[in-house]
Amino acid sequence: MTTLAGAAFLYILDDAKKDRVNDLTNTAKVIESYYELSFHQWELSLLSLGNRFVEIKDPQERLDYANRALEVYRNELLAFGLAEPGGQVVTFTGRLVNDSLPNLSMSERTRRSFESALRNGGLTLGECYYFENVSDWILPIRVPIKNKEGEILAVNTSAIDYSTMMEELGRFVEGTQYKVHLINNEFNTTQILYPMDLRNYEGVLGSVDLIYKDLDTLEVKDDAYVTSAIDPVTGNDIICASILIDNVDHSLIISIEKSALIFEVLNRFKFVFIVYILLVLASILLYKYLKRNLEKSILNLRTERANLKSIIESTSDLIGLFDNDKNLIEFNRAFNISAKVTDGLKLYKGMDVLKAIKNSEQVESFNQLFDRALSGEKFQLEIIYPSPKGDLTFKATYNPVYRDDKVVGFTLFSEDITEIRSYQKQLEALNKDLENKVQERTKELKEKNKELKKGYDKLQSTQQQLIRAEKMASLGILSAGIGHEINNPLNFIKHGALALKERLVNIEDYDSYDQYFNAIEEGVRRASQIVSGLSHFSRTGEAMDETCDVHEVLQNSLTLLTNRFRNKEIEIRSYFHAENSVIIGNEGKLHQVFTNIITNAEQAIEASGVIEIITKNEKQTIIVEITDDGIGMTKKEVESMTDPFYTTKEPGEGTGLGLFITQMIIDEHGAELDVKSKKGEGTTFIITLKCK
């Protein structure tokens, strides 16, 4: 324990010494950089002021300029003045030469710094001394003023407040117990010693006896020398870092007493010791905590093991654990019972089961399965195993057991599914029988559905015919009444026009009225034709023994549809070549046939086109061909067009019964309907009727 504490103390001492050496070096560099930059700035500023001083010849103007300059630099300089090359001060802190200003050669200290400035030709720091006018110690600054040829015209002489420099140093080494010593190398005198009691200033500042005796060089780093030495003021052992301020030839020494270092080491050692004690206490507490948790975990593990064993023993599944040599090392009660029933074996831990099984085929099979599991494969399969009571079916699952990524054995979980497979076979037989019965019943239902559909379609067709017949009957009655009512005023118009024509026939300008009478007669004639066509179309009789003129029926249908043709710019071309156009049938139904076909032709034409109607006689028949140049139909559409409710129109625009009814009427007349169509080119309907 003592040896360990000593080693720890030495380690902490060495570590603290390294930290302090690095910090001393860094502090020395920072202060050196600060003073080097400050001295350079003072040199530039004083050169600028001195050059201006030399240019001013008037004494009073020079004095005013000196006062203004001192006001500008009042936070940095206590005094400001100019001396001749011979040492006589001509202006200093607001006084002229006639105010009995001193000659710098009169004092040993001022003379040495003045001559050094003349000799070096640059910024020179004089030896610090007590200045009565400000009641403080000051640091003189000398800067030679030269002309273009390099001749010294004057020396700018100023002074820095010593207290100000102490405050600046305090900010650098605050809280560090560091001592800052600035030494003038040329005169080997002390310029600054911080911190220092005011009572010791006289005996220290400017002293030439403050010599550091190096005991041991600890480190040389970037022009900074770190040594172990004796403090020349206190005589105590110190560690110090020294560095040269080149532009003023001064040495900067930053030191700390070794006693402070020892105190720091003791504090660190104390901290480490406290941490060590805390770690020991924490270790003891941790040990007790871990021990308590370990005991608790062991108890839980034993409980869980007992619970797991209880679960394993209570299950009816066969569970076994095998090692890498295929020996059985753990098993449950169900496994033991099954082995006794199937092979007459009594299991025990470490048993080579494969050697105990008498059936060589089963041994070979199990050996292959065991090899697969030991190779790292996880798998499941069904096994049929013979027993005295018959074949048994097991669902076996093999899982490899790993330790450190290496297979060290495997587990076997085997479920007896003999009864399940037996039930499955029975269910399969029942399902197959049920499927056969369902198929037979489905077939019967399909046949019944076909019969019902046929009956339903026939019922729908009959219903539509009844509705249409009812509508046509109502339309026929209405048309007959309207035709009678329209014919009466038409007769009045016709006879009135004839009477008026006879009264006006003898007047001189009769010819100018004749065109109006002709227009009236033509209007009456066309109205009569429409009424006549409507009356023919709306005839409601069912008799099939009427004498019908096919040409008149076609003309009436065209008359009724004239307005539809006009809306689409459709041209009607009629070529009635048949000499015999009379047949026996139902005139109203024939009107319905031709109206439906011509309407379909009009609807097949999208914007404009031609409908051509040709009649001709062949043998004892009249053939009517109705052709359009519309969108045409596909072969499938032609085959389905007379089916009930079949339509190619949008929903709501057609019922799909027009051509179905047309086909029925044609069949009633013993006629034939033939259709020729090509998609995109047009359609031709050919109706063949027997002549009278």
Side-chain angles (χ1 to χ4, degrees):
M1 185 70 178
T2 305
T3 304
L4 180 62
F9 181 82
L10 292 176
Y11 173 79
I12 293 171
L13 176 63
D14 185 63
D15 187 62
K17 186 183 292 185
K18 288 180 180 178
D19 289 345
R20 192 55 57 201
V21 166
N22 289 332
D23 192 58
L24 283 170
T25 304
N26 293 333
T27 303
K29 289 179 182 178
V30 171
I31 297 176
E32 181 267 337
S33 299
Y34 171 75
Y35 275 131
E36 195 169 69
L37 180 61
S38 298
F39 292 150
H40 183 64
Q41 289 177 338
W42 286 335
E43 181 179 15
L44 294 178
S45 299
L46 293 174
L47 275 175
S48 177
L49 294 173
N51 287 329
R52 177 60 181 150
F53 247 123
V54 172
E55 293 175 357
I56 300 173
K57 302 303 181 182
D58 182 67
Q60 186 60 44
E61 185 178 349
R62 181 181 290 175
L63 180 60
D64 293 340
Y65 180 77
N67 289 332
R68 290 196 302 272
L70 186 61
E71 180 66 23
V72 172
Y73 292 97
R74 65 179 181 275
N75 294 329
E76 301 175 10
L77 301 176
L78 282 175
F80 180 76
L82 192 69
E84 294 176 344
Q88 178 61 47
V89 179
V90 295
T91 301
F92 190 78
T93 316
R95 289 184 293 162
L96 296 176
V97 68
N98 53 8
D99 294 327
S100 299
L101 289 174
N103 190 304
L104 298 178
S105 299
M106 296 173 61
S107 168
E108 179 65 20
R109 287 183 174 179
T110 59
R111 181 185 61 77
R112 287 201 299 180
S113 62
F114 181 72
E115 290 177 353
S116 177
L118 294 175
R119 185 171 55 256
N120 297 334
L123 175 70
T124 300
L125 296 180
E127 300 170 65
C128 61
Y129 62 91
Y130 189 78
F131 191 40
E132 295 289 346
N133 288 0
V134 296
S135 300
D136 199 356
W137 291 78
I138 66 171
L139 186 66
I141 299 179
R142 320 290 188 203
V143 179
I145 309 300
K146 302 177 183 178
N147 60 14
K148 294 181 179 180
E149 288 74 23
E151 298 175 348
I152 297 177
L153 302 178
V155 176
N156 191 324
T157 177
S158 304
I160 302 173
D161 182 7
Y162 191 81
S163 298
T164 301
M165 295 185 70
M166 291 296 104
E167 292 177 3
E168 292 174 350
L169 282 174
R171 291 195 296 270
F172 286 111
V173 297
E174 183 177 4
T176 61
Q177 300 186 37
Y178 288 166
K179 182 182 290 185
V180 181
H181 194 178
L182 184 65
I183 300 175
N184 189 322
N185 291 332
E186 185 175 0
F187 308 126
N188 196 28
T189 58
T190 295
Q191 299 283 59
I192 298 173
L193 189 60
Y194 175 87
M196 183 176 64
D197 194 321
L198 290 174
R199 292 171 295 182
N200 299 327
Y201 275 22
E202 184 66 35
V204 173
L205 296 184
S207 173
V208 297
D209 297 328
L210 301 182
I211 300 173
Y212 288 83
K213 296 180 180 179
D214 295 346
L215 299 180
D216 183 26
T217 300
L218 302 179
E219 185 175 351
V220 179
K221 186 176 181 181
D222 297 334
D223 298 328
Y225 291 83
V226 182
T227 61
S228 177
I230 302 296
D231 190 323
V233 177
T234 64
N236 297 328
D237 289 339
I238 60 172
I239 296 175
C240 60
S242 62
I243 193 168
L244 181 66
I245 304 176
D246 291 325
N247 59 347
V248 291
D249 191 22
H250 278 53
S251 292
L252 178 67
I253 299 174
I254 311 296
S255 64
I256 185 173
E257 292 188 0
K258 286 186 177 180
S259 59
L261 183 62
I262 296 299
F263 182 75
E264 181 180 346
V265 170
L266 290 175
N267 284 337
R268 289 194 185 188
F269 184 78
K270 181 179 179 181
F271 173 77
V272 171
F273 181 74
I274 292 172
V275 171
Y276 173 76
I277 295 300
L278 291 175
L279 287 175
V280 170
L281 292 175
S283 299
I284 294 172
L285 293 175
L286 181 61
Y287 169 76
K288 291 182 177 180
Y289 173 77
L290 292 176
K291 182 180 179 182
R292 185 167 58 253
N293 282 353
L294 180 61
E295 292 172 351
K296 186 176 179 181
S297 298
I298 292 173
L299 179 61
N300 291 337
L301 185 61
R302 288 174 178 172
T303 303
E304 291 177 1
R305 184 179 180 86
N307 293 338
L308 181 61
K309 186 172 182 61
S310 176
I311 293 171
I312 292 175
E313 291 296 335
S314 64
T315 182
S316 60
D317 293 344
L318 282 61
I319 301 176
L321 175 63
F322 294 81
D323 62 14
N324 212 20
D325 295 324
K326 304 177 185 179
N327 295 324
L328 181 65
I329 56 177
E330 289 288 348
F331 57 91
N332 67 342
R333 182 171 176 273
F335 199 162
N336 193 24
I337 293 173
S338 178
K340 187 174 183 180
V341 171
T342 56
D343 296 286
L345 300 178
K346 184 178 181 180
L347 302 180
Y348 57 89
K349 293 183 179 181
M351 179 180 183
D352 189 345
V353 179
L354 296 181
K355 286 185 178 180
I357 297 175
K358 298 177 181 179
N359 190 323
S360 59
E361 293 182 1
Q362 294 296 331
V363 171
E364 181 63 25
S365 175
F366 279 127
N367 201 29
Q368 294 176 1
L369 295 176
F370 286 8
D371 287 338
R372 288 175 60 185
L374 290 172
S375 69
E377 182 182 356
K378 179 181 178 181
F379 59 95
Q380 186 180 83
L381 75 165
E382 288 190 10
I383 299 173
I384 298 176
Y385 199 84
S387 75
K389 297 181 180 180
D391 290 344
L392 301 177
T393 304
F394 294 93
K395 183 170 70 174
T397 301
Y398 289 82
N399 291 296
V401 177
Y402 290 90
R403 184 180 300 139
D404 298 329
D405 297 330
K406 183 179 179 181
V407 178
V408 295
F410 63 91
T411 58
L412 170 61
F413 294 86
S414 187
E415 179 186 0
D416 188 348
I417 58 172
T418 305
E419 291 186 5
I420 295 175
R421 289 292 177 262
S422 176
Y423 292 147
Q424 284 181 344
K425 289 179 180 179
Q426 295 177 27
L427 284 174
E428 288 174 0
L430 291 173
N431 285 337
K432 189 172 182 180
D433 183 56
L434 182 60
E435 286 177 2
N436 293 333
K437 290 182 178 180
V438 169
Q439 289 177 358
E440 292 176 2
R441 184 59 178 165
T442 302
K443 186 176 180 181
E444 293 176 3
L445 289 174
K446 286 182 178 180
E447 295 296 329
K448 293 289 184 182
N449 284 339
K450 287 181 180 180
E451 294 177 5
L452 288 173
K453 190 174 185 306
K454 289 180 180 179
Y456 177 75
D457 291 342
K458 188 174 181 181
L459 181 61
Q460 286 285 95
S461 174
T462 304
Q463 183 183 15
Q464 292 295 329
Q465 292 183 53
L466 289 173
I467 293 171
R468 188 174 182 84
E470 185 64 27
K471 287 182 179 179
M472 294 302 293
S474 299
L475 180 60
I477 295 170
L478 181 61
S479 298
I482 292 174
H484 177 72
E485 293 299 325
I486 292 176
N487 278 329
N488 288 335
L490 287 176
N491 288 330
F492 294 152
I493 294 170
K494 180 177 180 182
H495 292 302
L498 289 174
L500 183 59
K501 183 177 182 181
E502 290 175 359
R503 293 287 298 273
L504 298 175
V505 72
N506 296 322
I507 65 175
E508 295 180 0
D509 56 347
Y510 169 78
D511 293 337
S512 62
Y513 294 102
D514 189 50
Q515 59 180 334
Y516 300 115
F517 289 118
N518 292 336
I520 292 171
E521 290 177 1
E522 178 61 23
V524 170
R525 185 187 67 78
R526 290 183 63 185
S528 298
Q529 285 182 347
I530 292 172
V531 171
S532 175
L534 185 61
S535 64
H536 283 86
F537 181 79
S538 60
R539 293 180 65 176
T540 59
E542 294 293 330
M544 298 297 294
D545 56 356
E546 298 175 359
T547 300
C548 310
D549 190 330
V550 174
H551 287 169
E552 289 183 3
V553 173
L554 286 169
Q555 192 61 51
N556 288 335
S557 297
L558 290 172
T559 300
L560 291 174
L561 299 173
T562 299
N563 190 57
R564 296 176 69 95
F565 303 145
R566 191 178 296 116
N567 291 338
K568 281 192 177 181
E569 298 183 3
I570 296 175
E571 179 185 353
I572 303 298
R573 297 176 184 173
S574 300
Y575 304 102
F576 295 167
H577 299 312
E579 295 180 357
N580 183 5
S581 61
V582 179
I583 69 167
I584 299 299
N586 186 295
E587 186 176 352
K589 291 184 178 181
L590 286 176
H591 274 86
Q592 191 171 353
V593 168
F594 292 124
T595 300
N596 282 344
I597 293 174
I598 296 171
T599 299
N600 279 353
E602 175 267 328
Q603 291 175 345
I605 298 173
E606 295 180 345
S608 62
V610 176
I611 296 177
E612 185 177 84
I613 303 174
I614 301 174
T615 66
K616 58 184 178 181
N617 290 119
E618 283 187 7
K619 298 181 180 180
Q620 295 298 319
T621 63
I622 177 172
I623 299 174
V624 181
E625 296 181 0
I626 302 174
T627 304
D628 66 76
D629 57 357
I631 60 175
M633 294 183 289
T634 63
K635 184 178 180 181
K636 184 177 180 181
E637 289 172 341
V638 171
E639 293 174 353
S640 304
M641 69 179 186
T642 58
D643 293 343
F645 310 111
Y646 177 81
T647 179
T648 59
K649 299 182 180 68
E650 294 294 329
E653 295 184 4
T655 62
L657 293 172
L659 292 178
F660 171 67
I661 294 172
T662 298
Q663 182 67 61
M664 289 179 62
I665 296 173
I666 290 174
D667 292 342
E668 287 178 359
H669 284 76
E672 295 179 0
L673 173 64
D674 188 22
V675 181
K676 297 179 180 179
S677 183
K678 190 172 183 181
K679 195 69 175 179
E681 294 184 6
T683 304
T684 299
F685 282 83
I686 304 171
I687 303 100
T688 304
L689 299 161
K690 294 180 181 179
C691 293
K692 182 178 177 183

